[in-house]
Amino acid sequence: MFITLEGPEGSGKTSHIPRLVEYLREQGYVVFSTREPGGTNISEQIRDILHDVKNVEMNPRAETLLYQAARAQIVEQVIKPRLANGEVVISDRYYDSTIAYQGYGHQQNLDEVRALVKYATGGLTPDLTILLDLDVEEGLKRKKNNAEEWNRMDALKVEFHQRVRAGYLELVTQEPNRWLVVNSAQKWEAVQEDLKRAVMGRLEK
Ligand code: TMP
């Protein structure tokens, strides 16, 4: 079972995943959690290039390709072997981030972006994708309070982030069976409960 969490900036994925993983382990599942971009030595190095606020001149095509390079590495080195081993793999972001950010956000050709994503992943699609949905300005405000996490993508204009969120909502309508939406504006505990319910609902199917 391959589960991915997606969402605009500040939607809380990173704070929710550790507790969710702990809960699933208590239920007896073997769980491996990771994040994108990152999760391998090579992918973390690519992450540093992508998110360095000094790299203001980065071209959207170069950006799209670097995310795919980081992804190709983690898919082959980590995700596929873990899935083959019967583990539940949870990833903080996966290819829908590329479609939302590089496709809808940077307004690049969606068919071309999808073709790159397919090449990078070898066609590996999540079984379940959860969108932690949140108002864009609220999310950016939350993230700004954490200077350590502020990155080059966060620094893009608010209209960019609004296109990203609208893109995610469009992706949900295109594949309603794969996606579940959780309202991240709720209290932390309520969001966590919704996440557990969503994941358990799928694992117990
Ligand atoms: P985060 O780890 O704080 O979520 O930061 C990851 C950033 O990278 C976030 O701004 C979204 C962005 N991103 C893309 O633009 N495309 C991608 O394919 C991925 C995985 C992330």
Side-chain angles (χ1 to χ4, degrees):
M1 173 74 64
F2 183 25
I3 299 167
T4 58
L5 273 85
E6 295 284 350
E9 305 304 327
S11 58
K13 294 175 287 66
T14 313
S15 86
H16 279 287
I17 289 176
R19 178 67 200 109
L20 179 65
V21 168
E22 194 181 299
Y23 172 79
L24 294 174
R25 287 186 180 141
E26 285 161 12
Q27 309 307 305
Y29 292 99
V30 179
V31 185
F32 181 80
S33 85
T34 189
R35 69 162 181 185
E36 265 223 82
T40 72
N41 192 4
I42 291 172
S43 312
E44 291 288 340
Q45 292 178 58
I46 299 172
R47 179 186 178 98
D48 289 343
I49 299 172
L50 278 163
H51 291 176
D52 189 337
V53 284
K54 287 201 295 294
N55 286 337
V56 277
E57 74 274 33
M58 191 178 295
N59 178 273
R61 288 175 189 264
E63 179 182 298
T64 304
L65 290 167
L66 283 171
Y67 278 113
Q68 303 330 297
R71 177 163 302 134
Q73 190 65 33
I74 191 178
V75 165
E76 291 302 327
Q77 189 180 329
V78 177
I79 299 178
K80 281 189 183 168
R82 296 270 177 181
L83 290 172
N85 205 26
E87 297 178 36
V88 176
V89 176
I90 298 191
S91 185
D92 180 346
R93 299 194 180 280
Y94 187 50
Y95 70 65
D96 295 296
S97 284
T98 293
I99 299 174
Y101 282 77
Q102 282 66 53
Y104 287 95
H106 284 311
Q107 297 175 298
Q108 296 188 91
N109 182 294
L110 288 175
D111 290 336
E112 288 177 0
V113 171
R114 281 187 188 280
L116 291 175
V117 156
K118 190 164 180 213
Y119 177 74
T121 60
L124 179 69
T125 302
D127 299 293
L128 169 67
T129 301
I130 300 172
L131 173 62
L132 275 177
D133 188 39
L134 183 66
D135 173 73
V136 165
E137 301 205 14
E138 171 62 25
L140 288 171
K141 205 163 69 194
R142 283 190 192 175
K143 204 153 177 196
K144 247 188 188 148
N145 292 334
N146 189 345
E148 244 174 53
E149 279 191 22
W150 190 251
N151 67 46
R152 189 180 58 82
M153 300 302 290
D154 301 324
L156 295 173
K157 286 205 287 275
V158 72
E159 294 78 39
F160 172 88
H161 292 285
Q162 262 146 1
R163 286 196 297 274
V164 170
R165 183 187 183 199
Y168 273 129
L169 293 171
E170 172 68 28
L171 293 176
V172 174
T173 65
Q174 287 170 6
E175 278 182 277
N177 292 336
R178 176 164 68 90
W179 286 84
L180 276 173
V181 182
V182 169
N183 174 9
S184 178
Q186 304 175 90
K187 286 214 175 85
W188 195 92
E189 290 74 16
V191 173
Q192 181 66 212
E193 280 312 307
D194 281 359
L195 283 175
K196 284 179 189 160
R197 207 171 310 120
V199 172
M200 289 307 287
R202 201 56 68 107
L203 284 170
E204 286 171 347
K205 238 187 190 171

